[in-house]
Amino acid sequence: MASKKGDSPLPGGALNPAYWRLEVIKAEMFKMIPKIYKVVLVGSGNGRDAFYFPSDVDLTMEGLTVNFQDLITTSGGQIPFIKPVKSMRQIEPESMDVVVTAGDFARVSRDPEQSVDKWLSDIDRVLKPDGTILFLEPAEVGLINVLTERYPNLSLEIDRENVFGLAKFEYGTARLNKEIDPLDKMRNTKKKQGFGNR
């Protein structure tokens, strides 16, 4: 059975002890995003990840599977202003600073009815030329390999964690640098990448 948007990439979901460690990692990663950035969370499912974003970030949630009004009502004002969209096609081209995937790539790559190429094309279309992908994905799905093959000028900051010996995950940032000349990249290899250095 194919997983739904927002499903946990871990077997057993919240009953798996590794699930809670991943929730802490997500909360730490998402709060790093500056408020001036436009962000889209792909495969947002039940919307629970909205609570981890700073309340002043400009957040678009793709693929919500719950009633949007219920999400707002239960939040008590603790979530950012959210723009729900059913599909990435509803987002303007090159309008997003950050695309966040927290298990959505795993969902797409494991589903024979889904296309990884389409998923990447949608992300490529909505990200600004120097946009960033913020990711938290199971290591076995190979997001890093897919990104480095597709984007030769990619700047990566990766951390890996074997969560309680139950699951291996990779998380960090991938900056696309779609318009950077490869020679410029070689000259600037000592510059630190990340959210604060645009």
Side-chain angles (χ1 to χ4, degrees), residues 41-189:
L41 174 63
V42 295
S44 53
N46 63 16
R48 74 184 187 299
D49 289 343
F51 294 93
Y52 297 140
F53 288 90
S55 60
D56 50 5
V57 77
D58 185 352
L59 180 62
T60 299
M61 295 185 81
E62 181 269 336
L64 273 174
T65 58
V66 296
N67 181 311
F68 181 63
Q69 190 58 45
D70 289 346
L71 180 65
I72 293 172
T73 303
T74 59
S75 76
Q78 298 302 309
I79 59 174
F81 175 76
I82 296 172
K83 291 176 267 184
V85 296
K86 291 182 181 181
S87 161
M88 294 287 275
R89 292 287 167 199
Q90 293 176 278
I91 301 171
E92 292 293 318
E94 296 188 352
S95 62
M96 294 291 156
D97 297 294
V98 180
V99 170
V100 178
T101 176
D104 198 53
F105 179 78
R107 179 190 64 80
V108 169
S109 66
R110 292 173 176 158
D111 185 345
E113 295 180 16
Q114 299 286 323
S115 165
V116 168
D117 283 338
K118 182 188 177 313
W119 187 86
L120 286 168
S121 293
D122 285 344
I123 287 174
D124 200 22
R125 188 184 66 78
V126 302
L127 270 178
K128 292 179 178 177
D130 62 344
T132 299
I133 299 171
L134 184 64
F135 60 90
L136 172 62
E137 294 287 344
E140 76 268 8
V141 297
L143 176 62
I144 303 305
N145 293 338
V146 170
L147 291 175
T148 53
E149 285 176 21
R150 185 172 180 112
Y151 304 106
N153 295 329
L154 188 71
S155 298
L156 282 170
E157 286 187 14
I158 308 168
D159 207 345
R160 293 178 173 90
E161 187 160 334
N162 187 348
V163 187
F164 304 124
L166 299 171
K168 293 179 181 174
F169 274 79
E170 297 175 326
Y171 57 96
T173 59
R175 211 155 143 225
L176 300 190
N177 303 320
K178 291 191 270 186
E179 293 183 352
I180 291 180
D181 182 301
L183 291 176
D184 285 342
K185 184 180 180 208
M186 288 175 19
R187 287 185 208 109
N188 296 318
T189 53

